Amino acid sequence: MSFLISSGGLIITIGDLLEILFATGNRNKVEEAVQALKPRGITVKHFPFEHNEIRSDSLEEIAREAVGVAYLKCRKPVFVEDSGLFIDSLGGFPGAYSAWTLSKLGLAGILRLLHGVEGRSARFEACVAYHDGTQVSVFKGVCKGAISIEPRGSSGFGYDPIFVPEGRSQTFAENITLKNKLSHRYISLLEFSKSFVSGS
Amino acid sequence: MSFLISSGGLIITIGDLLEILFATGNRNKVEEAVQALKPRGITVKHFPFEHNEIRSDSLEEIAREAVGVAYLKCRKPVFVEDSGLFIDSLGGFPGAYSAWTLSKLGLAGILRLLHGVEGRSARFEACVAYHDGTQVSVFKGVCKGAISIEPRGSSGFGYDPIFVPEGRSQTFAENITLKNKLSHRYISLLEFSKSFVSGS
């Protein structure tokens, strides 16, 4: 038997694998988390979760509230992840409302907003909030980049076809391997995994 | 002494005037409510109120939750009002997130989203939620119209310079008298005032 120590206490695991629930309604996010955390001995299980998030510009505030609700429902170690695309020339729009905005305007709407605008810099931000049964810990990831002129590629989801990470030429949707190594979500999950100290 | 009966019970008033608190952080809204309700014997007092609304596409859901919180703070008959601009060709965007969207994109951003789009029909919706101490009642108002090609006029606030009510040619910001008689907010406040039955 091995164990991992989280910031909040001791978690006993069987066969070197720690199992943590990921509360989300987005299966794409689950897939990304599975890929990111498996090499680090953490098994991610999907906890289907639909929740009316609070209205806030802060991903951390949203994630902290959501994981509290998720924990009350599953009563097991659980994390949530909230992320957003922040476009500098639009004052950080769509930010914490990225998923909702995309559902209304589509990628075409975002591109129309940037039509003729010189500055296309943007960043993806992610915030993982983990509830270990006693306390909530938060882990952040940022990926800087720019908005492309038109959508390119078919991998990933959400804004991936129009986001080009800094120093690269392909969008996340054109190069999913790149996304899985550079993305805001990957970085926040990596930070999250580092919070566990393995022992035996 | 006269009295007014609300749906939730009896409210004694002095000198034929009913005083109700309007919980909001928006002084423009207070001014509109004062003008709309004064002729109906209802005195509106501003109750300064900043609140993290819930995230929802439903104005009613948002208003019901907010008035519950407002009542807990003031412990007096109180109402809130939530409103939004719903643009048909944008799937109802910006809807319940109208104030936030305006703060990020400005009127120019909304117009850019509609650039080259034929359908410019839109509607303003308002929802008043009133807490009389025992229960919450809801009153709605809708004003149909269209988005103008460019901003016109300097009265009102928010989206008024780009909203032309149905059958008219001027924007709300060009003709504030028109707004005060036709607007979604006025209609919802009128419905609200009708819920009180005067007696003596």
Side-chain angles (χ1 to χ4, degrees):
Chain A
M1 183 175 286
S2 68
F3 60 89
L4 292 106
I5 301 162
S6 89
S7 50
L10 197 66
I11 299 172
I12 307 298
T13 65
I14 298 165
D16 288 320
L17 275 180
L18 169 65
E19 198 174 284
I20 304 177
L21 296 177
F22 185 4
T24 177
N26 186 331
R27 288 192 168 273
N28 293 304
K29 287 189 177 184
V30 178
E31 188 49 39
E32 285 190 16
V34 166
Q35 296 301 326
L37 296 180
K38 200 174 174 183
R40 299 181 168 268
I42 300 170
T43 299
V44 172
K45 291 277 176 196
H46 186 199
F47 179 65
F49 180 58
E50 294 296 341
H51 170 55
N52 260 353
E53 292 170 348
I54 56 165
R55 192 186 281 224
S56 166
D57 276 351
S58 158
L59 297 179
E60 177 172 343
E61 208 172 86
I62 293 168
R64 280 186 179 274
E65 193 270 348
V67 83
V69 176
Y71 181 76
L72 288 178
K73 290 197 178 178
C74 66
R75 296 283 179 187
K76 288 179 181 171
V78 62
F79 70 96
V80 303
E81 186 265 5
D82 200 42
S83 54
L85 175 68
F86 297 75
I87 301 173
D88 295 332
S89 64
L90 302 180
F93 181 89
Y97 303 91
S98 291
W100 176 81
T101 299
L102 189 62
S103 76
K104 295 292 179 186
L105 304 183
L107 296 176
I110 297 293
L111 293 177
R112 207 175 302 142
L113 281 170
L114 290 176
H115 188 71
V117 175
E118 263 197 34
R120 302 182 76 90
S121 62
R123 66 189 188 281
F124 267 129
E125 289 189 14
C127 182
V128 165
Y130 173 57
H131 199 310
D132 63 11
T134 55
Q135 67 181 34
V136 175
S137 311
V138 157
F139 309 92
K140 297 180 181 179
V142 175
C143 180
K144 290 184 180 179
I147 304 300
S148 62
I149 299 295
E150 55 187 8
R152 299 197 313 260
S154 54
S155 300
F157 66 99
Y159 294 93
D160 288 345
I162 62 169
F163 186 81
V164 180
E166 207 167 51
R168 309 285 174 150
S169 58
Q170 287 179 304
T171 66
F172 271 166
E174 286 179 301
N175 190 338
I176 200 67
T177 314
L178 197 70
K179 180 183 181 184
N180 289 339
K181 290 291 168 208
L182 288 183
S183 88
H184 54 307
R185 189 168 302 115
Y186 178 73
I187 295 165
S188 63
L189 289 167
L190 206 65
E191 289 304 310
F192 175 38
S193 72
K194 286 180 190 164
S195 72
F196 298 98
V197 181
S198 246
S200 61
Chain B
M1 183 176 287
S2 68
F3 61 89
L4 291 106
I5 301 162
S6 88
S7 51
L10 197 66
I11 298 171
I12 306 298
T13 66
I14 298 165
D16 289 320
L17 275 180
L18 170 64
E19 197 173 286
I20 305 177
L21 296 177
F22 184 5
T24 177
N26 187 332
R27 287 192 167 274
N28 293 303
K29 287 190 177 183
V30 178
E31 189 48 40
E32 285 189 16
V34 166
Q35 297 301 325
L37 296 180
K38 201 175 175 184
R40 300 182 168 267
I42 300 170
T43 299
V44 172
K45 291 278 176 194
H46 186 200
F47 179 64
F49 181 59
E50 294 296 340
H51 171 55
N52 259 354
E53 292 170 348
I54 56 165
R55 193 187 282 224
S56 166
D57 276 351
S58 159
L59 297 180
E60 177 172 342
E61 208 172 86
I62 293 167
R64 279 186 180 273
E65 193 270 347
V67 83
V69 176
Y71 181 76
L72 288 178
K73 290 197 177 178
C74 66
R75 296 283 179 187
K76 288 180 181 170
V78 63
F79 70 96
V80 302
E81 187 264 5
D82 200 42
S83 53
L85 174 68
F86 297 75
I87 301 174
D88 294 333
S89 64
L90 301 181
F93 181 88
Y97 302 90
S98 291
W100 177 80
T101 299
L102 188 62
S103 76
K104 294 293 179 186
L105 303 184
L107 296 176
I110 297 293
L111 294 176
R112 208 176 301 144
L113 281 169
L114 291 176
H115 188 71
V117 175
E118 263 197 35
R120 302 182 75 90
S121 64
R123 66 189 188 283
F124 267 130
E125 289 189 15
C127 181
V128 165
Y130 173 56
H131 199 310
D132 62 10
T134 54
Q135 65 181 36
V136 175
S137 311
V138 158
F139 309 91
K140 296 179 182 179
V142 176
C143 181
K144 291 183 180 179
I147 304 300
S148 63
I149 299 294
E150 54 186 6
R152 298 197 312 261
S154 55
S155 300
F157 65 99
Y159 293 93
D160 288 345
I162 62 168
F163 186 81
V164 181
E166 208 167 50
R168 310 285 175 149
S169 57
Q170 288 179 303
T171 67
F172 271 166
E174 286 179 302
N175 190 338
I176 200 69
T177 315
L178 197 70
K179 180 184 181 182
N180 289 340
K181 291 292 169 207
L182 288 183
S183 87
H184 53 308
R185 189 167 302 114
Y186 179 72
I187 294 165
S188 63
L189 290 167
L190 207 64
E191 290 303 310
F192 174 37
S193 71
K194 286 180 191 164
S195 71
F196 297 98
V197 182
S198 244
S200 62

